[in-house]
Amino acid sequence: MPDIVEIRHLRRHDKQEVTLRGWLYGKRTGGKIAFLLVRDGTGACQCVVEAKQEKFFQAALAAGQESSLVLSGTIRLDERAPGGCELAVTDLRVLQSVEDYPITRKAHGVDFLMEHRHLWLRSPRQTAILRIRHTLIRAARGFFDDRGFTLIDTPILSPGAAEGSGTLFPVDYFGETVFLAQTGQLYVESACMALGKVYCFGPTFRAEKSKTRRHLTEFWMIEPEIAFAEIKDLQDLAETFVCHLVQAVLRDHRNDLALLERDIAPLETVAPPFPRITYSQAVDILHSKDVRRRLEEELERDRRQLQTWITELARIEEQKAKAPRGWSQDKLAQQIQDLREALRDLENSVAHRAEHIRHAQEFTWGDDFGGDEETILSRQFDRPVLITEYPKKIKAFYMKQSPANPDVVLNMDMLAPEGYGEIIGGSQREDDLGALEKRMADEKMNPAPYQWYLDLRRYGGVPHGGFGLGLERTVSWICGLKHIRETIPFPRLMGRIYP
Ligand code: 4AD
Ligand code: MG
């Protein structure tokens, strides 16, 4: 058997004999020839089987989508072929011939795809997202590793809440109730007093009882924590970090972004300086007449778009009714499915928009921004925006009270543009023992499980702080996805734990 070569390297083997291994992704057959599109996870290659190779030809005709194959043959460079070359097959072994792969090129609803997530992962769109996710993880670690940060693995089983008691998952720990970690922060705070600059990167859990396109119950967060850092240092670091992430994806994933139909112009705009505003300024934006006018114009535009799409849908449905069965009908069915989904989304958004605009206008200082306010705010800027000094009462107990205004804290949220909303939350930490104890008492927290944490303010306390970037929210934004469920291999959502 000739040497095994990964499809991504095939072009280096022009006119040579090679073996490739993979899965049948698509097939076209003429009378005397079969074209097998084979994918192996590194790319796809068209493999040509001629009718005169009778045994192989019959096997090729019988094999359905996702049959597993080992093929040998000669490589021919051909710019017209996907991937730039073809394999002229001289040997074909079918490891498993499949006839009834559930995910076809026909249209499938999202529920069906989620039930078949273990197979859905094989589609080109999903593999593109998974590759970008991998690059983001590598770039995130590289960023901190190259700047002298030490990775600290924080525990997943934890005795108490850090981000509010409302989103805790309880676990029975030998008769005692403990919780899945909402964050590694309290632990990296202690580690930064040992090592100066540290970060953790692991799964975190929130029992979010909200079914939104931004919330998972299990998500990955990267959390740097730095001794002697003040809020301005954190803003600078977060800005450099996010630019680094976007650059890594733009550099390595042009093809994947194109496959995802991601408009890269807004990503190319992501460069320092990011706008920095306070919560109070953000509230002024929500109240401004200018923003209101723009939102209303947008709503009008979307209403017209909705009408266009409804007409378009009727046209394609008619076309499909007349189309011959098979490939072209399947393609139209997919178009109809996509358009229906887009229509449903737009309809929903248009239906509630007038109300959202009114809510934004009536937003009261002191309330937390919901998804709708974040969407409005993040649409005002062409790059991520950093918002600081939120009201103390809507933020976590560990955030440092502003010396200038006791009602606000020295925190920062970063909202991604294009309506994506919060991707980073962080703050300078309360380093004053008395202030922290008072805040915990105000929040009616039991201090017993936090004595170790208070020790950090008893023994060599220093100003310090950090932030957490949600990996999946970042993947969603950079890939331009409509929903967070596609950003992680096996999403955990309220109402979904299978597969
Ligand atoms: O703002 P959060 O809750 O901040 C913290 O957990 C801090 N302890 C971080 C720190 O300062 N070390 O969460 C940080 C980020 C959010 O900005 C968001 O990107 C992501 O984590 N996130 C979620 N992602 C998906 N699903 C959820 N339910 C999320 N909740 C937060
Ligand atoms: Mg937050």
Side-chain angles (χ1 to χ4, degrees):
M1 190 173 77
D3 287 349
I4 293 163
V5 179
E6 289 183 354
I7 290 176
R8 65 185 167 136
H9 293 143
L10 284 181
R11 285 168 60 101
R12 299 181 194 160
H13 295 268
D14 190 26
K15 301 191 179 66
Q16 294 171 14
E17 293 257 340
V18 302
T19 298
L20 64 93
R21 303 181 295 189
W23 295 265
L24 184 60
Y25 179 62
K27 185 166 73 174
R28 270 191 305 131
T29 44
K32 290 194 160 64
I33 202 157
F35 296 101
L36 307 180
L37 187 61
V38 177
R39 56 162 199 91
D40 73 346
T42 74
C45 175
Q46 179 160 283
C47 305
V48 187
V49 187
E50 292 185 33
K52 62 185 185 220
Q53 306 161 289
E54 196 164 330
K55 201 174 77 188
F56 302 149
F57 193 68
Q58 290 309 324
L61 292 186
Q65 194 183 340
E66 290 306 308
S67 294
S68 39
L69 312 171
V70 180
L71 310 105
S72 300
T74 313
I75 290 297
R76 288 193 297 245
L77 288 193
D78 180 349
E79 283 315 319
R80 288 162 309 170
C85 62
E86 266 189 357
L87 184 84
V89 174
T90 54
D91 188 37
L92 167 65
R93 200 149 56 86
V94 180
L95 300 186
Q96 184 173 45
S97 190
V98 172
E99 284 175 15
D100 52 356
Y101 185 64
I103 303 181
T104 61
R105 291 185 189 239
K106 289 207 183 91
H108 294 293
V110 116
D111 283 337
F112 179 88
L113 292 171
M114 290 291 281
E115 282 293 305
H116 294 83
R117 182 67 179 161
H118 51 296
L119 303 177
W120 188 22
L121 289 184
R122 302 181 189 187
S123 77
R125 221 184 116 75
Q126 299 307 314
T127 53
I129 297 169
L130 292 176
R131 280 190 294 269
I132 291 176
R133 177 185 169 99
H134 172 235
T135 290
L136 283 169
I137 293 172
R138 233 172 29 158
R141 298 182 82 118
F143 179 86
F144 292 111
D145 294 346
D146 291 347
R147 282 166 179 75
F149 284 69
T150 303
L151 175 71
I152 297 296
D153 297 312
T154 54
I156 286 174
L157 294 170
S158 42
E163 298 296 334
S165 54
T167 60
L168 287 170
F169 277 117
V171 178
D172 175 59
Y173 192 72
F174 307 113
E176 187 188 339
T177 300
V178 300
F179 306 97
L180 297 180
Q182 297 167 304
T183 167
Q185 182 199 313
L186 306 194
Y187 297 96
V188 280
E189 275 189 60
S190 30
C192 87
M193 302 301 171
L195 289 150
K197 294 190 284 188
V198 298
Y199 71 98
C200 62
F201 196 177
T204 46
F205 305 85
R206 308 267 169 104
E208 299 272 9
K209 291 205 183 68
S210 44
K211 293 186 179 173
T212 79
R213 61 200 165 87
R214 292 180 185 161
H215 287 93
L216 291 164
T217 54
E218 179 178 318
F219 63 96
W220 286 65
M221 185 161 43
I222 186 152
E223 298 180 86
E225 190 73 26
I226 309 164
F228 302 103
E230 298 185 3
I231 187 71
K232 162 91 170 50
D233 306 314
L234 301 173
Q235 291 179 300
D236 293 346
L237 185 72
E239 179 180 282
T240 318
F241 177 47
V242 167
C243 292
H244 176 83
L245 295 180
V246 170
Q247 284 309 317
V249 174
L250 283 175
R251 190 185 58 228
D252 297 344
H253 292 279
R254 293 285 164 155
N255 291 342
D256 288 327
L257 291 169
L259 196 149
L260 295 169
E261 294 173 2
R262 174 62 160 122
D263 176 10
I264 59 171
L267 295 178
E268 284 173 329
T269 315
V270 176
F274 293 177
R276 296 179 187 193
I277 61 174
T278 62
Y279 169 93
S280 298
Q281 288 168 326
V283 174
D284 289 343
I285 291 179
L286 294 176
H287 290 167
S288 90
K289 294 282 164 287
D290 224 30
V291 167
R292 177 186 178 156
R293 187 174 42 76
R294 243 184 299 157
L295 289 170
E296 281 168 350
E297 280 168 10
E298 222 167 77
L299 179 56
E300 259 327 292
R301 247 203 328 276
D302 285 354
R303 284 196 174 120
R304 282 198 296 273
Q305 174 79 74
L306 206 54
Q307 283 313 314
T308 319
W309 280 354
I310 291 171
T311 320
E312 170 85 356
L313 185 63
R315 191 183 59 75
I316 306 178
E317 274 169 343
E318 203 175 305
Q319 206 181 337
K320 180 179 165 246
K322 290 190 208 135
R325 282 175 70 87
W327 173 242
S328 54
Q329 212 182 43
D330 291 353
K331 218 168 125 184
L332 290 168
Q334 182 65 55
Q335 276 179 22
I336 290 171
Q337 169 85 19
D338 291 348
L339 195 55
R340 278 212 187 112
E341 218 166 273
L343 250 171
R344 210 175 326 118
D345 286 352
L346 191 63
E347 237 163 20
N348 272 333
S349 135
V350 163
H352 300 114
R353 196 91 59 80
E355 201 182 327
H356 295 166
I357 297 174
R358 192 167 49 77
H359 277 167
Q361 294 275 304
E362 291 167 3
F363 186 89
T364 338
W365 196 100
D367 288 349
D368 202 358
F369 298 136
D372 299 329
E373 286 88 22
E374 279 187 9
T375 303
I376 293 174
L377 290 168
S378 83
R379 286 228 180 107
Q380 306 309 311
F381 304 95
D382 69 348
R383 63 198 75 197
V385 55
L386 282 156
I387 310 182
T388 52
E389 298 184 17
Y390 281 57
K392 180 169 72 181
K393 69 176 173 46
I394 56 167
K395 284 294 180 186
F397 75 99
Y398 53 71
M399 293 188 179
K400 187 170 179 63
Q401 187 177 304
S402 163
N405 176 0
D407 292 335
V408 303
V409 284
L410 299 182
N411 79 308
M412 57 166 201
D413 273 9
M414 187 190 286
L415 309 189
E418 301 170 81
Y420 276 92
E422 182 189 336
I423 52 168
I424 285 182
S427 75
Q428 200 174 319
R429 317 305 185 192
E430 186 55 78
D431 49 342
D432 180 275
L433 179 62
L436 187 55
E437 281 175 330
K438 174 160 186 318
R439 180 76 201 274
M440 289 171 70
D442 291 347
E443 300 280 317
K444 304 197 169 38
M445 291 170 69
N446 171 13
Y450 298 93
Q451 285 311 309
W452 66 274
Y453 183 66
L454 296 173
D455 270 353
L456 307 176
R457 281 78 181 160
R458 292 187 181 109
Y459 305 110
V462 295
H464 66 287
F467 59 82
L469 171 126
L471 177 64
E472 290 75 17
R473 298 252 182 110
T474 308
V475 173
S476 193
W477 162 49
I478 292 182
C479 292
L481 307 181
K482 279 190 292 194
H483 198 289
I484 199 163
R485 66 186 155 227
E486 291 177 65
T487 61
I488 182 164
F490 294 95
R492 297 298 175 237
L493 298 152
M494 189 186 169
R496 162 135 337 258
I497 194 87
Y498 177 90

